[in-house]
Structures are given as C-alpha cells and as structure tokens.
Amino acid sequence: MKLYQKLRTAVPRLVLSQEDEEEEEEEEEDADTPTPTGHSRLAPWWVGSGLLLSAVLLSAVTVWVLRQVSGGWHGPAPPSQCQQVPESHRFDCYPERRVVVTRELCEGRGCCFVETSPAAGGRRGVPWCFYPPDFPSYALQSLNQTALGMAGLLVRREKAYYPRDIGVLRLDVELETDTRLHVKITDAANPRYEVPLDVPRAKKRAENPIYSLDFSKDPFGLLLRRRDTGTVLLNTTVAPLIFADQFLQISTALPSRFLYGLGEHRSTLLHSLDWSTLTLWARDVSPTESFNLYGAHPFYLLLEEGGDAHGVFLLNSNAMEVALQPAPALTWRTIGGVLDFYIFLGPDPNAVIQQYQEVIGFPAMPPLWALGFHLCRWGYGSSNETWQTVRAMRNFQIPQDAQWNDIDYMDRYRDFTFDAQKFASLPSLVEDLHKHGQHYVMILDPGISSTSPRGSYWPFDEGLRRGLFINTTQGQPLIGQVWPGYTAFADFSNVDTRQWWLENLQRFHAHVPFDGVWIDMNEPSNFMDGSEEGCPPGELDSPPYTPAVLGDSLSAKTVCASAKQSTSVHYNLHNLYGLMEAEATASALIQIRGKRPFVISRSTFPSQGRYSGHWLGDNRSQWKDMYYSIPGMLSFSLFGIPLVGADICGFSGSTSEELCTRWMQLGAFYPFSRNHNSQNEKAQDPTAFSPAARTAMKDVLLTRYSLLPFLYTLFHRAHVHGDTVARPLFFEFPQDTATYGLDRQFLWGRSLLVTPVLEPGVDSVMGYFPRGMWYDFYTGSSVNSSGEMLKLSAPLEHLNLHLREGSILPTQKPGPTSKASRGNPLRLIVALSPGATAWGDLFWDDGESLDTFERGSYSYLVFNATENVFTSRVLHTSTEAASTTIGTLSIYGVREPPHKVLLNGQEKPFSYLDNQVLTVSGLGMGLGQAFSLQWL
C-alpha cells in the first residue's frame, strides 16, 4: 500500500470520514470518551473485524511490547522504494545537527540514504536520509463519537528509534466551532505535561463546520479539507508520526507556499520553504537571521491558492523546531508535552487571527499614553542628564509621552533600587514628568542579586525566605550571572512569587512613582550556561534530541533545563518565563496604580498580548535592521501582540543622521514607538541632530499624534474583536498575489498605507498600490491604481502616507503629549470610493481607566458617507465625550465643486480645491451629538 506519496496526486485510502462518523446512531451522551470495555457500538469499518475494543487494545499493546523486546524495525529500505520519492517530498529521518549522517546510521533507522548536491552557502538542503514509503507509523485502531467530535486510539506496531516511544496514543478531535477544529494526541495511559494556558472549552459540537475531516487508518493520518473549495489544508499521512517521551514529530503537506508566522525569528514576512528550519526556544541574542530569538510562537498562517487562509497553532511550550520544505510541507518536532493543535479556517486572514485570539485571548487595551512617543537610552549616566533630554524635547516642542531609564539608574544593577548619587533627583524627575502630562518607565530584570550582605537587600532575602526562586535538582536556588553579578531567578510559575513581586514594586513605587515597567532579560537570560555549577547529567539537560537551538544546548545562556520550578521543570516552562513575568507585572501595576497597566517585554509566548507589548530586541543601527523591523512588527500582529515596535534608530552601533531620520519616520508608525540606544554611542534622540533632521522628526511625530484617535480606535478593535493594528497588505487584498510577499510597506488598520524609505541616498521610493483609489494623506490628491508599483517622491523630510478609498479617519490637532492632544478638536478625513461611499469609526474614553468598554464608560461613533451625505451616528456615549468637539471635515474625492454645504440643514461655508478636496471647518459638533453634512 502506498503510504507516503505526493499529497495532490495520491491520497492514501481513507477508511473513515467525518461525514461517515456523523451518520452513526450512537448515543452521544455516553460517548464522551473511547469505551475500552466495548459498550459503544463501533464504527462500521471496525465491526467487520468481530473484535471488541478491549480485545483490540490488548492485542495491539501485546504486539507493540513484543516489538519493543525484539528491538523494533531496523531493516534498510529497499532502493526501489527510495528512488520513487521526489526530492521535494523527502522528509528528514536524521535531523540531528552536528552529526555526519552516514549510510550506516541512516539505514540503522530503516530509512533511505541517497546523496544529493549540497545546498549553497552551507545551508541544509535535501536530506540524504529520509523516510521510505512504508516506514512504520501508528495505525488508527478505534474511533468513537463524542459529544464534541471523536475520540480514538492510535497504536504503533514497530518500535521507533527514539527512546521511550509510546505505543498507544489517545486521539481527541473536537469540532469546537464552525471555523475552529481542535485535535489533540497524547499518551493513552499516562498523563503528560501540558501548557497551563487558559483556553476556551467548547460546550457543543459545531453544527455547520466549513471543514470536513477524513482519517487514514494505516498509517494513521488526518486529512482536513475546506468544504467549499475542496482544498486539502492538512494531510498528516505524508510522513510517519513519532511520539516518544522526548521526541514528538508530525508532518503535513501544505496547500501552498505562502506561509507566515512561527516566531520569533528575523526573516522576511513570507517564509522560504526551501529546506529551512525555524527553532522555537527563547534566547537572549541580538536579532540575527536563522537564530532562535527571544520568544516562541508555534502558530502559522497560510494563504491558499485563491486567497482563502487558515491558521494552525500547536499549544506546546517545549523546545521545538519547524522544518519547511518545498513539497510544500511542514514538520513539527518538539521534545516534550503533547501534540495539541488548533486549526482556524478563516476563511480570510483577518478572520484567522481573530479566531486564533479567541483561543489565546484578545490583547489588553493600552492606556492612550502608551501610544505616544517614548524615549530611552542606556547610558544617560544620571537622572539630571535624563532630565536635560526631556527639557530639550520640550524646548523644541517635540511630542513625547514617556521617558525611560535602562539599568544604569540602578544601584549596582540591582532590581528595585536606584543609584543614590547619580540618580538622586530621579523622584523629582518623575514628579516633573507627571506635572507635564508625561510618564516614567523603568527597566527590571528577573535575575535578583544574591551577593549582598544578608539583611541588606530585601528582594533576595525575602525571596529566599519564602522559597520563590528557581531551584537546582538538589533543591537549592540556582545561581547564574546577569548584570548585578551572581543572581537567583524568580520563579513566576509560583503564585506566591506574584505577591512578592507586587510587594517589591510597591516598595519601589513609594520612592519612584513609575507608570510602566519594561521587563528585559526574561528568556531568562544568563551570562553562564546553566548555572555557576553547570548542569547535572541527565536527559533533561541533554535530551535524546536537541532542536537546532543557538549554542547547541538547551542551557546555552539560560538556566538548566532540569531546574525545578513550582509547577514543573524548566525544561517544560522555559518558553513561558516571559509570559508568566508579564502577567505578574501587569497584575501588580493594576493593584499599585489602579489604572491600565503598561508593560513591555522582551520574551513572549501566545496570549502575552493580554498582559504586555513587545519590542524587537537589541537591534543595530543599520539599514537592514530598519527593514527587518517591518516583518518583525507584522509577525507579532499575527501573534496577537499588537503593541509592538523596534528600537528606533537602532540600539547598538552609531546611527547616521539620514538613517535616524528615515527610521524616525518609520518608527512613528510602529504601534509602539520608542527611540532607544546603547551606552558609549552618541545620542540619537531628535534634539541631537541638525535643525533640518530635527524638524523632519518632529513633523512625523506630530503626524503620529494627529492620528492617535484613529490608532486608539484600532487598539480598541484589537481588544474587543481581535483585529490587527499594523497589518500586511495581503490581509486586505488576499486575492492579489502581488501582496503576498510585501514587507516593505504596511497598513494601519484597513485604511492607512505606510511606504517608508529603507535605503540610503535616495529621494524616491517604490511602493505597491493594490487596485483602487488611493489618496495622499496630506493633500488629498488621488491615485487610481490598477494594482501596480509606483515611484513616489520621498525627500528626506517626507514619509509617504496614503488613504484607501472608502475609509474615514478620525484625526486630531496634535499637542506635545497625548493628554494635551485630547483637548483639541477633531478633524475627520473622508476618502471617498469611486461610488462616493466611505465608512469609519471612533472609540473614545478617558484613556487610562480599567475596563471602560466592559463597564460602558466610553463613546463609540460610526461615520458614513453616501450619496453626498456624511453622517455621524452615536452608538454609545459617556461623559468623556462632552468636552471634545469635531471641528473640521475634509472630504477627498469630491468630483464636482459643490454649490453649497448643509450642516444639519443649515448652510455652512466651505472650501474646494482643484484636487477634489472639500473642507468644512468650524463645525463645533460635540462627540455626543449625531449630525449630518450634505454637499450639493
């Protein structure tokens, strides 16, 4: 029987389909689990065997045990089978790194060995050792109906080549919604570690799913199709399933090559499927191509032929890698936990991300000031120098909402302290910031200094007394080394650690009333490998298989995988460390300030958008780093962390005036906008440059501040609906294949197209404009595109922004802070479609209180334009809207000069320009007032 052939030309014989199973007349209320005693009637394909399920299971386990005793299956694959496997469909049987794979090693696993030409540049190419068509896998031995879907047993008849493989697995399939499928594979007999993430529990089976499921019996495989197109989204029969204690592997064919996500990595937005491997293991390293970086996000989005999209999330926090190959196909390899998949059917990219966030949680609503401009550097040297920078920004009237300090504010780099000499005026600086409507953010690391004299450093003394640090296998605090020297690491999986963390923050806030917290080094980072004593021998620190992690060891620049935490070993919890710290920090900020928390974290995991934003790490002052920030930002939009940005102008190295000007223009459109650089480098805040560059930076920040009502509304939609804020063009134009690889431009919401300059020495930029009418944001001049690349003028002082037809953007006269801007009148910009229609909305609240939407303390307005009439409808209002007015309406694309304009039936003066822009000023309409404006 052909088992592992090309997906599109030969699908294995299917023995049971979802539709077949649904036709069964079993009693659902008694079928929530497979019934080992055989009390539930078996599916028709199984009844013919004449065996009860208990006998089947006993027989299967007996066969498997005998195979274990006899050493399993190790015979070499017949050459005739090997040659028939096309190169692009060769699934790696020997993925170990740092091993020269010989024919003997390969055939010892029962695999095919065929040498091919090495890949260029030393990359891994076509595997020489790959699975033959008849390599043993699991077989589906039973499948029963449950209230939510199906449950079954998978049995392996041949021993796998990794130790402690599991012979009998449990399969659970739940049709949770019409667009979400949940598939879980785990040990049928023994509990295993699972990610402690709150996920929704379906209460009933989906009634009209837009997908259909088929199963292959032997080898076991799942085939998932989209009903309306018949597209096969998953086919796991293309390579064997392996489920050992510390090696879990499953492969699937993909319906196209257009794959995104799988972070955190530095790469293009659209991944290459040319034999690339993406490793997920949180690591402190400057962003570099091909390295595993700070966070782990086992989620991908794939665009299908024709523009439909689906997503796949593997809920697993162990070290893993995802191998991509040009078949197209994908292989998940992880070294612990279970295979817990959620599949999201979309069918468009925006819907996929919304459905993903329905599982991991929608992001928190940030305070308005979080969306202003932030300024930081490592190396101010003193609070007075920090203060001087703030004053200089004010003197030049450059908008700024938050001032930050890096670790140099601390006393000997110890958390919850500040240098009493160099930063003596820090409390006064924070007080001054607050008087000017500004905010203060400081850095914290999870490594707590362990070398201070006993009784002199409360954070360590108290943490030690309460037993709140990560421990060695011997039960003693694991000691590593970070900025303060020898350190212990807070165990945020321990609920008691959150109280200790809160108390530390409260004690520090009493002296320095900070507004937000920047949590860094939380992979966790360690200047040692493991600990001061190294790591003990054993299969946690030296597992049978180590994914392709930087440093070739799980303990490289972090703590030992065998280290003990409250809820599990670090081997399982490493990738969750930043998430757990972010949750503890956000909770503490709420209790301390009673307002929305602001947390920026370096390490992240799915669901972290509920607690923090993210910056893209320690980048460099180079043009390519500026470019890579765009796919990095857009990827985190896919991951449900919309509050994201990179260090504007670069962290390490010295920037140039041209680079920093261009980067400030791009960075003004990061959802999280912060300029930050390292010590021993020249200053790169806007005041440090020539008047021309400084003015260009100020102007683009004023543009950002004018757009804060629009940006704030986008974050509201992200919080309530799971929309993205910054998004790739293909999200809005999934039928336009020219958008699939675009990552040098992006959109805010569906409406605002940003086309930055990313190269030195140019005064123009090429940008792609999907089919339709686009308007220059500043002037209203229109471009009617057929879907084409256009050359745009881009002198150093100019950033190209364009409005999409059919949109209405709320803007506001900008002030020096978001707080000052809030009191200014609004200007609504209407970008008419060729049919003279447009739509937009506005969310408005006090900008900082907790749960304003949930409590109803907000205003929400919907704007429409159709048939020469603009309307503002108030769907919900609160007292916060009383002091804000809509002052101006600018309408782009009015083809004929109007004779008069009527506001609620009363004639109003107006202006009309040759570029078809109609402007009506002096409206004076309160946000709580519905109104209409007509042009005749």
Side-chain angles (χ1 to χ4, degrees), residues 259-326:
L259 184 136
Y260 311 84
L262 298 173
E264 180 177 9
H265 299 93
R266 167 176 281 202
S267 70
T268 56
L269 179 63
L270 175 63
H271 285 302
S272 168
L273 270 60
D274 189 18
W275 303 108
S276 59
T277 299
L278 303 171
T279 306
L280 282 65
W281 183 248
R283 169 65 193 256
D284 173 7
V285 62
S286 295
T288 305
E289 298 86 325
S290 79
F291 288 177
N292 50 295
L293 300 183
Y294 310 107
H297 292 272
F299 166 82
Y300 71 77
L301 180 147
L302 188 135
L303 272 179
E304 304 153 30
E305 303 290 345
D308 285 340
H310 70 273
V312 176
F313 172 42
L314 173 55
L315 180 51
N316 182 294
S317 62
N318 290 90
M320 75 171 70
E321 61 191 17
V322 184
L324 309 175
Q325 63 191 78

Side-chain angles (χ1 to χ4, degrees), residues 534-778:
C535 297
E539 291 194 332
L540 292 178
D541 293 297
S542 301
Y545 181 82
T546 300
V549 298
L550 178 63
D552 300 318
S553 168
L554 297 183
S555 63
K557 302 307 177 194
T558 189
V559 303
C560 299
S562 59
K564 294 182 178 180
Q565 296 188 235
S566 174
T567 58
S568 188
V569 290
H570 193 73
Y571 182 90
N572 294 326
L573 300 180
H574 174 83
N575 281 338
L576 299 175
Y577 194 86
L579 168 63
M580 291 179 170
E581 185 190 16
E583 185 175 3
T585 306
S587 174
L589 280 171
I590 291 171
Q591 294 180 69
I592 292 169
R593 300 182 68 247
K595 300 176 182 179
R596 285 178 222 161
F598 174 72
V599 181
I600 293 293
S601 175
R602 191 167 72 179
S603 188
T604 58
F605 190 79
S607 83
Q608 192 143 341
R610 298 168 60 189
Y611 312 108
S612 84
H614 172 65
W615 97 104
L616 296 174
D618 296 340
N619 59 5
R620 304 168 186 85
S621 297
Q622 297 177 3
W623 289 90
K624 75 168 186 175
D625 287 63
M626 177 167 62
Y627 153 68
Y628 275 122
S629 71
I630 299 177
M633 168 186 66
L634 296 177
S635 292
F636 273 87
S637 292
L638 271 60
F639 300 149
I641 305 178
L643 189 63
V644 59
D647 283 346
I648 298 171
C649 301
F651 174 71
S652 64
S654 289
T655 190
S656 67
E657 182 164 289
E658 181 189 13
L659 172 60
C660 198
T661 302
R662 294 300 194 190
W663 209 329
M664 282 290 295
Q665 290 168 345
L666 169 60
F669 286 84
Y670 294 153
F672 166 57
S673 182
R674 181 187 70 162
N675 181 315
H676 176 50
N677 73 326
S678 182
Q679 62 179 354
N680 303 321
E681 305 291 352
K682 62 184 181 183
Q684 62 185 36
D685 63 85
T687 70
F689 296 99
S690 70
R694 184 175 65 238
T695 299
M697 296 178 187
K698 175 182 175 180
D699 287 347
V700 77
L701 287 177
L702 288 171
T703 300
R704 177 189 179 89
Y705 274 64
S706 75
L707 285 160
L708 284 181
F710 175 56
L711 181 60
Y712 193 64
T713 300
L714 291 178
F715 269 95
H716 164 71
R717 297 187 66 83
H719 171 60
V720 174
H721 304 294
D723 289 358
T724 54
V725 175
R727 69 185 61 161
L729 272 72
F730 76 78
F731 267 51
E732 293 298 319
F733 303 93
Q735 279 76 41
D736 185 349
T737 57
T739 65
Y740 290 5
L742 292 181
D743 58 10
R744 301 173 73 87
Q745 297 169 272
F746 58 95
L747 292 161
W748 267 13
R750 60 178 301 274
S751 306
L752 185 65
L753 177 62
V754 183
T755 307
V757 172
L758 303 173
E759 298 172 349
V762 299
D763 60 4
S764 64
V765 63
M766 298 297 294
Y768 183 75
F769 286 75
R771 180 182 294 275
M773 190 76 73
W774 297 86
Y775 297 91
D776 184 294
F777 170 77
Y778 309 100

Side-chain angles (χ1 to χ4, degrees), residues 219-494:
F220 163 73
L222 181 149
L223 286 93
L224 177 68
R225 287 184 173 87
R226 188 179 295 281
R227 283 189 185 272
D228 60 348
T229 64
T231 302
V232 178
L233 308 183
L234 297 177
N235 177 1
T236 67
T237 67
V238 294
L241 167 65
I242 297 177
F243 200 120
D245 184 36
Q246 290 182 274
F247 186 89
L248 292 70
Q249 177 176 278
I250 190 168
S251 301
T252 181
L254 301 172
S256 84
R257 298 176 60 91
F258 305 116
L259 184 136
Y260 311 84
L262 298 173
E264 180 177 9
H265 299 93
R266 167 176 281 202
S267 70
T268 56
L269 179 63
L270 175 63
H271 285 302
S272 168
L273 270 60
D274 189 18
W275 303 108
S276 59
T277 299
L278 303 171
T279 306
L280 282 65
W281 183 248
R283 169 65 193 256
D284 173 7
V285 62
S286 295
T288 305
E289 298 86 325
S290 79
F291 288 177
N292 50 295
L293 300 183
Y294 310 107
H297 292 272
F299 166 82
Y300 71 77
L301 180 147
L302 188 135
L303 272 179
E304 304 153 30
E305 303 290 345
D308 285 340
H310 70 273
V312 176
F313 172 42
L314 173 55
L315 180 51
N316 182 294
S317 62
N318 290 90
M320 75 171 70
E321 61 191 17
V322 184
L324 309 175
Q325 63 191 78
L330 173 152
T331 297
W332 299 91
R333 297 188 195 104
T334 184
I335 60 172
V338 301
L339 296 176
D340 192 1
F341 289 101
Y342 289 86
I343 302 99
F344 311 100
L345 275 291
D348 64 79
N350 287 293
V352 170
I353 302 307
Q354 291 169 341
Q355 293 156 14
Y356 175 42
Q357 292 176 101
E358 287 172 357
V359 170
I360 64 171
F362 290 161
M365 183 68 187
L368 178 62
W369 66 266
L371 307 184
F373 179 61
H374 300 244
L375 191 56
C376 184
R377 77 165 301 172
W378 179 21
Y380 282 123
S382 70
S383 51
N384 286 339
E385 185 177 340
T386 309
W387 208 339
Q388 288 173 8
T389 302
V390 173
R391 291 184 178 121
M393 291 285 286
R394 292 177 190 158
N395 289 339
F396 287 112
Q397 297 181 312
I398 301 173
Q400 181 188 1
D401 260 79
Q403 180 61 51
W404 298 37
N405 278 124
D406 208 318
I407 57 174
D408 47 333
Y409 81 90
M410 298 178 182
D411 176 13
R412 291 169 285 168
Y413 297 145
R414 297 181 304 166
D415 279 354
F416 310 113
T417 68
F418 67 95
D419 189 318
Q421 282 73 46
K422 295 179 180 178
F423 282 80
S425 61
L426 182 57
S428 299
L429 165 60
V430 175
E431 181 182 7
D432 178 69
L433 289 168
H434 291 165
K435 286 180 179 178
H436 286 83
Q438 296 172 303
H439 298 81
Y440 181 70
V441 180
M442 85 290 183
I443 194 171
L444 286 176
D445 295 336
I448 303 297
S449 175
S450 62
T451 58
S452 299
R454 188 168 184 175
S456 66
Y457 183 48
W458 193 87
F460 178 75
D461 292 341
E462 192 64 14
L464 185 65
R465 186 184 71 81
R466 300 187 196 180
L468 303 179
F469 296 121
I470 294 176
N471 287 334
T472 66
T473 56
Q474 304 303 310
Q476 298 300 313
L478 183 147
I479 302 299
Q481 185 176 9
V482 202
W483 295 113
Y486 290 113
T487 57
F489 297 87
D491 177 9
F492 290 102
S493 75
N494 188 337

Side-chain angles (χ1 to χ4, degrees), residues 3-72:
L3 304 186
Y4 304 123
Q5 295 301 302
K6 289 190 289 186
L7 163 65
R8 294 180 180 172
T9 57
V11 175
R13 182 175 63 86
L14 304 179
V15 298
L16 187 68
S17 70
Q18 173 193 346
E19 287 83 354
D20 294 335
E21 197 276 335
E22 288 171 351
E23 292 174 359
E24 290 306 300
E25 298 176 356
E26 299 174 15
E27 293 294 324
E28 288 191 3
E29 59 267 26
D30 296 324
D32 286 341
T33 59
T35 312
T37 55
H39 291 169
S40 294
R41 190 169 64 85
L42 299 177
W45 61 271
W46 192 250
V47 172
S49 68
L51 296 176
L52 293 176
L53 180 58
S54 56
V56 171
L57 180 57
L58 178 61
S59 173
V61 171
T62 302
V63 171
W64 181 78
V65 170
L66 291 174
R67 294 290 186 182
Q68 295 280 340
V69 173
S70 64

